[in-house]
């Protein structure tokens, strides 16, 4: 029997795994163990899945990164389109975990963190820019606070 992956099922499974990680990051009490599970559990699993897809399929299809036309050709392959999506899922969740850890260390309220993390989940770099803006604002405010 010839087995062929169900790309839709793999897409759904990877998305559900990432969504569970984001839900935990935003909603659960943030203990060091939670951040460890996110980094070395969820992000690692997504990264390994991505690596497997790349190793198995990248060199078997036409296309590349040299032009938009080559990229379109590369992502016409369902396994590599899925790999690209999983790449986003893994990196955005990693960045979200990093933002959350930094924000916790700086004492940023979870209510302030939530929209930044949501933006990171939905739009990746926009959330990172929001975090950098918030962190810069905190740093400037801290420099203006007089010490006794």
């Amino acid at each position: 029997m010839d087995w062929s992956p169900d790309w839709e099922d793999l897409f759904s499974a990877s998305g559900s795994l990432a969504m569970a990680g984001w839900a935990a990051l935003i909603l659960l009490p943030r203990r060091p163990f939670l951040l460890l599970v996110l980094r070395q559990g969820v992000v690692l699993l997504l990264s390994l899945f991505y690596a497997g897809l790349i190793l198995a399929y990248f060199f078997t299809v036409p296309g590349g990164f040299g032009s938009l036309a080559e990229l379109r050709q590369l992502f016409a392959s369902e396994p590599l389109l899925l790999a690209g999506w999983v790449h986003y899922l893994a990196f955005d969740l990693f960045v979200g975990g990093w933002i959350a850890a930094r924000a916790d260390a700086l004492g940023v309220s979870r209510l302030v963190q939530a929209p930044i993390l949501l933006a990171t989940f939905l739009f990746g770099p926009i959330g990172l820019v929001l975090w950098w803006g918030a962190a810069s604002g905190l740093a400037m405010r801290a420099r203006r606070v007089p010490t006794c």
Side-chain angles (χ1 to χ4, degrees):
M1 179 175 183
D2 187 28
W3 180 79
S4 176
D6 185 327
W7 300 114
E8 287 294 332
D9 285 348
L10 293 171
F11 171 83
S12 293
S14 58
S16 294
L17 179 62
M19 185 67 100
W22 279 104
L25 185 62
I26 294 171
L27 300 173
L28 294 180
R30 209 170 291 137
R31 307 281 188 253
F33 179 73
L34 173 65
L35 293 174
L36 180 71
V37 167
L38 285 173
R39 279 192 304 264
Q40 295 183 7
V42 177
V43 173
L44 179 62
L45 280 173
L46 290 169
S47 298
L48 290 170
F49 180 45
Y50 167 80
L53 288 169
I54 291 299
L55 291 172
Y57 295 98
F58 186 80
F59 299 103
T60 67
V61 298
F65 299 112
S67 69
L68 192 55
E70 286 181 12
L71 188 63
R72 184 180 304 110
Q73 192 176 27
L74 186 68
F75 285 148
S77 158
E78 282 192 322
L80 291 181
L81 180 60
L82 179 59
W85 179 242
V86 172
H87 181 281
Y88 280 116
L89 294 176
F91 266 80
D92 287 355
L93 186 55
F94 177 82
V95 170
W98 177 80
I99 289 170
R102 293 294 307 135
D104 286 350
L106 294 172
V108 177
S109 160
R110 295 287 295 268
L111 290 174
V112 172
Q113 290 183 44
I116 294 170
L117 292 172
L118 187 60
T120 306
F121 166 60
L122 294 173
F123 306 111
I126 292 174
L128 183 58
V129 168
L130 289 174
W131 166 247
W132 281 333
S136 295
L138 287 168
M140 287 190 318
R141 192 175 89 204
R143 283 189 288 259
R144 282 187 262 161
V145 174
T147 58
C148 297

